[in-house]
Amino acid sequence: MLVRIDSESDAPLFAQIAASVRADAAAGRLTPGDRLPAAREVAGALGVNVHTVLHAYQELRDEGLVELRRGRGAVITAQAATLEALHHDIHDLVARARAAGLPADALAALVKEIAAHDERTAR
């Protein structure tokens, strides 16, 4: 697994690390049961603070993609299979939006709005 960050991006480093792991799970490069590298190892490779990596891992835990186990580190959960299954649907949606001339930011905002609405109505 290769964690990628962009030093030119405005996104916080922890968010970039989490997004990189999510992308690997969605693409099938990470599967349930896979262990993520130790936070110290990732921090050293990227030249960031270990707490930045831990923040990313905790965010992924809160999303249900990672389980943090004492002595075993961060382990990918079954949710990775769900992300992989959605991957093709997401690509199709992006292609349809692009063909319709909808910018990626507008599509992302629409998806967030619909997800938030669905969460509110599900309560």
Side-chain angles (χ1 to χ4, degrees):
M1 184 189 97
L2 176 65
V3 176
R4 294 164 296 279
I5 59 171
D6 178 4
S7 59
E8 301 294 317
S9 173
D10 291 335
L13 292 173
F14 81 90
Q16 291 185 52
I17 293 167
S20 180
V21 172
R22 259 186 240 106
D24 281 350
R29 291 185 292 269
L30 288 173
T31 59
D34 286 350
R35 290 181 57 199
L36 296 179
R40 287 190 195 285
E41 182 181 325
V42 174
L46 297 176
V48 300
N49 188 295
V50 70
H51 294 290
T52 301
V53 179
L54 289 172
H55 189 171
Y57 283 11
Q58 289 166 350
E59 180 173 286
L60 294 167
R61 178 204 57 203
D62 293 347
E63 294 171 6
L65 182 59
V66 167
E67 183 177 289
L68 298 177
R69 299 178 182 169
R70 236 182 242 295
R72 288 200 58 213
V75 179
I76 298 294
T77 67
Q79 188 162 0
T82 302
L83 282 179
E84 185 179 8
L86 288 172
H87 193 195
H88 297 292
D89 294 336
I90 294 167
H91 271 287
D92 290 345
L93 179 61
V94 168
R96 288 179 55 202
R98 184 178 299 123
L102 186 67
D105 289 345
L107 176 61
L110 181 60
V111 169
K112 286 180 182 180
E113 181 181 318
I114 290 171
H117 178 266
D118 287 355
E119 281 183 24
R120 286 192 303 271
T121 58
R123 293 181 192 157

